[in-house]
Amino acid sequence: MSLLQRIEGLQARIQRACEASGRDPATLELLPVSKKQPVALLREAAALGFTRFGENYVQEGADKAATLPELAFVLLGPLQRNKAKAALQHFAELQSLDRPELVERLRRLAEELGVVRPVWIQVDLWDEATKLGGCTGTGLPALIEALGDDARLPLRGLMAIPPPDDEGAFLQMAALRDRLQQDLGQPLLLSMGMSDDLEAAIAAGSDQVRIGTAFFGERSR
Ligand SMILES: *Cc1c(COP(=O)(O)O)cnc(C)c1O
């Protein structure tokens, strides 16, 4: 199957999911996840109009950003302290904030580098079930406190990777988003839904689906 055919199939799936819950597809962002995909495929996707791509690893994303400077990269994977500077230098947005110490470090470095990077908090409400990083529900207030209203790291929303086959998890995230929006008095987006569960995520109100295999095909390594 060609990349175009795969993307058309994916877009039809997204369209149907939006229709099923009475949503306008224009309100949903499709973020292609290009980890472990070759640069040639990213170029092809860029020619089809995609300009933002999700990457999991700082070094891989930095390499792609250097090769494809016209594209923007979003960091999805867990971020280690010692990669914080490189992450700010090479990524347009950071989605995996999960602890106050990391936020403190990013704030200092963003100031030093003079950059503005929208950030998302990765939430894991099911820590028994997944080991993919993320801040627990009880850890959330301290993380938000650490972010404050730093103009260099504006908070865009919440990101989650719920355990498979737990559709209630998406609704839990939607409820958390609503509550936080009220508390903070600012709009927050929800990034959730991947190749296998985008329908449930869209039904629950996701604003951004992050799609790897259903967009690019199987990953190479
Ligand atoms: C790999 C990855 C995706 C995409 O996964 P697919 O199942 O291939 O769609 C989305 N989000 C994160 C955080 C990922 O690591």
Side-chain angles (χ1 to χ4, degrees):
M1 207 192 298
S2 72
L3 182 66
L4 179 59
Q5 286 171 323
R6 202 177 296 104
I7 294 173
E8 283 175 347
L10 172 62
Q11 283 170 334
R13 245 181 99 186
I14 290 174
Q15 176 84 33
R16 283 193 299 275
C18 286
E19 275 165 14
S21 41
R23 297 189 51 187
D24 175 1
T27 63
L28 180 77
E29 185 190 6
L30 163 57
L31 181 71
V33 177
S34 50
K35 61 172 180 241
K36 299 180 180 175
Q37 299 290 357
V39 163
L41 265 188
L42 275 82
R43 284 214 171 89
E44 246 187 87
L48 296 171
F50 292 88
T51 56
R52 279 161 49 87
F53 295 85
E55 285 282 339
N56 280 54
Y57 310 99
V58 173
Q59 188 57 52
E60 182 179 348
D63 290 346
K64 283 175 175 161
T67 311
L68 305 163
E70 68 283 13
L71 302 181
F73 291 87
V74 178
L75 182 66
L76 305 179
L79 179 56
Q80 289 156 6
R81 270 180 71 85
N82 61 355
K83 302 256 174 73
K85 188 168 185 178
L88 286 169
Q89 285 170 316
H90 302 288
F91 289 83
E93 217 170 276
L94 309 178
Q95 274 207 353
S96 36
L97 267 58
D98 61 0
R99 53 199 195 280
E101 312 80 72
L102 177 63
V103 169
E104 301 293 349
R105 185 165 172 81
L106 287 170
R107 285 181 62 166
R108 225 173 320 116
L109 289 166
E111 178 76 38
E112 198 179 297
L113 296 167
V115 297
V116 174
R117 299 290 184 250
V119 297
W120 302 60
I121 293 177
Q122 182 176 352
V123 179
D124 179 6
L125 302 176
W126 323 273
D127 43 0
E128 241 60 274
T130 57
K131 295 277 174 277
L132 300 168
C135 155
T136 61
T138 47
L140 205 48
L143 190 49
I144 288 171
E145 169 90 28
L147 268 178
D149 49 8
D150 190 343
R152 293 198 180 275
L153 303 177
L155 177 60
R156 289 205 62 199
L158 306 176
M159 177 276 223
I161 312 172
D165 306 317
D166 182 358
E167 296 201 1
F170 293 119
L171 296 171
Q172 266 179 287
M173 283 303 302
L176 177 62
R177 184 260 295 265
D178 291 349
R179 192 150 29 86
L180 271 184
Q181 272 187 161
Q182 286 227 317
D183 291 353
L184 301 179
Q186 71 166 82
L188 293 173
L189 299 174
L190 269 182
S191 173
M192 56 186 198
M194 317 202 301
S195 294
D196 290 337
D197 57 12
L198 65 90
E199 283 83 0
I202 290 172
S206 179
D207 300 292
Q208 180 193 70
V209 289
R210 308 176 310 266
I211 311 293
T213 44
F215 186 102
F216 284 111
E218 291 302 320
R219 287 182 272 275
S220 57
R221 272 169 280 146

